[in-house]
Amino acid sequence: MKGGTPVSTKNRKRWIAGLALAAAFAAVVGCSGSGKSGEGETPAGAAGGEPAKADNEYKEKYDPPVTISTVWGVDPALTFKNNETIENNVATRWALDKFGIEIKSLWSVTDTNGAFATKLRLAMSSGQEMPDIVTIGDALLAQDLIDSGIFQEVGPLFDKYASETWKQAMALDENVWNPYTRDGKRMGIPVLDYAYNHDYLLWIRQDWLDDLKLEAPKTIEELEAVMEAFKTRNPDGLKPGEVIPLSIGFKSSLNTWMGDPSWIFGAYGTIPQQWNVGADGKLEYGSIHPGVKQGLQKLNEWYDKGYIPKEAALWDENKTSEPAVAGKAGIIPGPYWMSGWPLLDTAKNVEGAVWKPYPIPSGPDGKAGRHGTHFTNGVILINKNMKHPEAFFTYQNYLFDNFANPEKGSEYDLGLFKGYDYDLDENGKPLHLDNIPGGYVNSIRYLLVRDGARIPDAQMKALLNLAEGKEPETRLEKEVKNNYGPETPAAAKVLLEQEDISMKDMFTGPATKTMKTKMDYLNKIESQTFNEIIYGEQPPEAFDKFVETWKASGGEQITNEVNEWYDSVKK
């Protein structure tokens, strides 16, 4: 996901860590039969049989060119080559040459410490010119921009102009529109991402299991036996104080993406810090579920026994990977792609180290759970004053139809921009990463929409094909084989074998009235109480007091408001 010029080993790691590699794409459908609207054709979604209009506003290419204005929050790790900038580069030239679309940049900012959100809020509040198209990853900012009234309802535009490929991708999860729907109107187009990117499983040192003649744990009880053996009978000769049997951290959240402990609560029937569907069909806040008390008790036991890091409350996601890469940890929870980054480096530090993926273990009642990944990672907003909104669909339809998952022999079989995300040697052999003259740069990030176009299930399909022994043929299959690490296809298979335990946060709407005034306080007392129970500073009964306080301090009202929203979007 992160580019470099030239790409160093460190940057390659970051790139692979970008969750599913920004260069990994999804399924091609040619222009014909794709549901695209073309010049002189009936727009996609128009009533069948209506006569085509010669002056149809949707075109494959605009002459004279039309302009789409935007603003950029530039990833500080994103680099450029050939003296290019985010305002003028291979992607902006491509848009003009291919579609007659001039991408006009109103401004750009390096997005550190929330600089993009800050500048966009300032532009909004001070009456500055706002962009035709803006892609937002910040959920709160997106809701505030929708509230501003500057951006238009997008549902009718999407229905009229989006290609069938794009519509089918969006239909894979009927809930993707929910965060951006107001009074039944779709106000923003969800940015699709690959499915299961942040779902996780357990990565376990297989060489340690083999040396100790242990089977992989299937239950929490069996997991404890494995952790005890890793600590007290370590195959690499590490002393008990040097080993971290289970590398987890919860500095930022108990519900995160690597080194994540939320599955421990899943063994007792809930996932904390998200809204889950309760037995009565209503949404309930996972952190006040009785199962959390059992999960906290279990974490306290593991803390006392030295199974988890003493500094777990101070460790973020990246910190949890450090002992795993150093060869000091035996188990780390994380996504299917961790075989490529960061775990591929463990063998460089410890000869013979092997990580294998295993399912999430079940609790005493046979329950298991993990947090689920939404199929989106942002939203596209369209300005009410945009002169040619159909031109955006010309641009994005092409990416979905031709770039998202190019088949063997496609124009995009190797990549998007030759000399940037791929190249060819003098014999026509593909060059990638460090072998590209001048180095790899993640030029896909220069596109109007982050990562171009992704079809949620395409990447997982490619991985499952490889897991079944198929030789890689499509670009996506080649990418995941060459860049993801040797165990990634197997991990994808393990993940989908437990598809039914994946629990998504079911509240995806804008912050409710009471959330805006009370949620910061509720989060603070939750974090403090949970940490104190895990560290033995308070007894487990402190959880019961927390639940009472949470409900009385606004939580009960928030629950009512969340369910009002849920009732409004449920199909």
Side-chain angles (χ1 to χ4, degrees):
M1 211 173 213
K2 311 204 178 201
T5 311
V7 170
S8 63
T9 301
K10 181 178 180 182
N11 277 341
R12 183 192 291 121
K13 287 187 225 171
R14 286 179 176 173
W15 180 63
I16 295 173
L19 309 182
L21 298 173
F25 314 119
V28 70
V29 177
C31 293
S32 61
S34 69
K36 270 195 195 179
S37 298
E39 184 173 6
E41 298 173 352
T42 302
E50 289 184 5
K53 296 181 180 179
D55 61 349
N56 186 347
E57 65 275 17
Y58 183 103
K59 295 177 172 60
E60 300 294 330
K61 185 172 182 178
Y62 298 86
D63 185 14
V66 298
T67 299
I68 296 178
S69 66
T70 193
V71 293
W72 305 94
V74 183
D75 186 330
L78 183 62
T79 55
F80 299 86
K81 63 195 305 183
N82 305 327
N83 296 315
E84 294 179 348
T85 65
I86 196 65
E87 292 87 2
N88 183 8
N89 55 63
V90 62
T92 58
R93 294 191 299 273
W94 172 78
L96 185 59
D97 293 343
K98 190 156 193 74
F99 309 116
I101 295 174
E102 180 180 0
I103 307 298
K104 175 186 175 184
S105 175
L106 299 183
W107 51 261
S108 65
V109 62
T110 301
D111 194 16
T112 54
N113 299 318
F116 177 69
T118 299
K119 189 169 179 63
L120 195 50
R121 286 184 189 280
L122 179 61
M124 176 175 60
S125 62
S126 61
Q128 296 177 30
E129 180 183 357
M130 295 295 283
D132 292 329
I133 297 290
V134 61
T135 302
I136 306 294
D138 181 316
L140 181 59
L141 174 61
Q143 298 299 338
D144 289 345
L145 288 173
I146 290 172
D147 287 341
S148 74
I150 295 169
F151 298 92
Q152 65 179 294
E153 180 184 1
V154 299
L157 291 172
F158 185 84
D159 293 343
K160 182 176 183 180
Y161 294 122
S163 73
E164 287 305 311
T165 311
W166 193 0
K167 288 177 178 177
Q168 289 168 13
M170 202 75 79
L172 290 172
D173 182 357
E174 64 181 13
N175 295 309
V176 294
W177 291 97
N178 290 355
Y180 316 112
T181 299
R182 300 289 181 85
D183 299 321
K185 295 180 178 180
R186 290 165 289 168
M187 300 302 298
I189 303 174
V191 177
L192 294 177
D193 200 1
Y194 292 131
Y196 306 106
N197 251 353
H198 290 172
D199 278 62
Y200 48 82
L201 37 72
L202 294 189
W203 290 96
I204 303 180
R205 281 285 297 272
Q206 185 65 45
D207 52 313
W208 287 7
L209 288 175
D210 293 344
D211 288 346
L212 292 167
K213 296 181 171 50
L214 294 173
E215 295 292 325
K218 296 180 180 178
T219 66
I220 292 292
E221 185 177 8
E222 292 175 0
L223 176 66
E224 291 174 325
V226 168
M227 292 193 293
E228 178 69 17
F230 282 179
K231 187 171 186 66
T232 59
R233 297 188 287 128
N234 189 267
D236 286 348
L238 298 172
K239 297 176 182 178
E242 297 176 308
V243 183
I244 296 176
L246 174 64
S247 190
I248 58 173
F250 37 90
K251 177 182 179 180
S252 53
S253 176
L254 280 166
N255 185 339
T256 181
W257 58 273
M258 183 166 68
D260 180 284
S262 63
W263 54 277
I264 297 163
F265 302 93
Y268 303 99
T270 191
I271 299 294
Q273 298 178 344
Q274 68 177 44
W275 294 85
N276 308 309
V277 179
D280 59 358
K282 294 183 178 295
L283 296 190
E284 61 180 17
Y285 190 54
S287 295
I288 64 169
H289 187 282
V292 168
K293 184 177 181 179
Q294 295 172 279
L296 292 172
Q297 287 177 284
K298 184 57 67 178
L299 282 169
N300 172 244
E301 290 176 25
W302 292 357
Y303 172 79
D304 289 341
K305 293 179 179 179
Y307 294 165
I308 64 175
K310 294 295 184 185
E311 305 84 6
L314 302 176
W315 282 19
D316 63 12
E317 295 84 356
N318 288 316
K319 184 66 177 178
T320 64
S321 71
E322 292 180 7
V325 172
K328 301 294 180 67
I331 305 167
I332 182 169
Y336 64 90
W337 44 261
M338 279 183 67
S339 173
W341 179 93
L343 299 182
L344 200 61
D345 283 348
T346 308
K348 297 177 183 177
N349 298 317
V350 181
E351 186 177 355
V354 176
W355 291 95
K356 293 282 187 181
Y358 286 102
I360 298 296
S362 59
D365 297 329
K367 297 175 183 175
R370 64 168 184 253
H371 75 207
T373 306
H374 288 290
F375 288 8
T376 61
N377 68 355
V379 63
I380 303 156
L381 303 181
I382 301 178
N383 198 307
K384 281 183 175 179
N385 297 325
M386 184 175 182
K387 291 182 179 179
H388 295 282
E390 71 281 355
F392 171 69
F393 290 89
T394 298
Y395 181 100
Q396 200 64 11
N397 283 344
Y398 184 88
L399 289 170
F400 269 99
D401 292 344
N402 299 285
F403 175 65
N405 188 16
E407 293 177 344
K408 182 179 179 180
S410 157
E411 178 182 355
Y412 301 104
D413 192 29
L414 299 176
L416 183 58
F417 297 123
K418 182 176 180 293
Y420 292 82
D421 56 297
Y422 80 98
D423 213 326
L424 299 171
D425 66 12
E426 62 274 11
N427 298 315
K429 182 179 179 181
L431 300 174
H432 299 285
L433 299 176
D434 293 338
N435 295 320
I436 298 171
Y440 166 91
V441 294
N442 192 359
S443 53
I444 293 121
R445 281 292 180 86
Y446 304 166
L447 297 169
L448 264 177
V449 176
R450 182 184 180 95
D451 298 324
R454 289 180 168 181
I455 296 173
D457 62 355
Q459 187 184 73
M460 195 59 65
K461 286 179 179 177
L463 286 164
L464 292 179
N465 285 340
L466 298 181
E468 297 300 327
K470 178 184 175 183
E471 286 299 311
E473 294 182 351
T474 67
R475 184 196 191 292
L476 190 49
E477 290 166 351
K478 292 174 185 176
E479 284 288 345
V480 294
K481 178 177 175 60
N482 295 334
N483 297 309
Y484 269 52
E487 295 298 328
T488 304
K493 188 174 182 180
V494 168
L495 195 73
L496 288 189
E497 285 172 351
Q498 283 191 305
E499 188 175 10
D500 60 335
I501 72 166
S502 180
M503 299 169 64
K504 294 180 182 178
D505 186 348
M506 295 305 292
F507 177 69
T508 56
T512 71
K513 179 180 178 181
T514 310
M515 275 183 180
K516 292 176 181 178
T517 58
K518 303 290 188 181
M519 205 65 197
D520 284 347
Y521 170 71
L522 296 179
N523 289 338
K524 180 180 179 181
I525 62 171
E526 176 183 334
S527 178
Q528 181 177 339
T529 303
F530 288 9
N531 285 353
E532 288 175 350
I533 293 173
I534 293 170
Y535 279 82
E537 297 169 5
Q538 286 205 62
E541 288 71 31
F543 172 79
D544 303 322
K545 177 64 177 175
F546 156 73
V547 173
E548 291 178 15
T549 303
W550 188 92
K551 290 180 177 179
S553 301
E556 193 162 355
Q557 180 60 30
I558 289 173
T559 301
N560 292 335
E561 292 169 356
V562 163
N563 277 288
E564 286 176 10
W565 169 87
Y566 189 54
D567 289 341
S568 75
V569 298
K570 268 194 307 189
K571 297 185 188 297

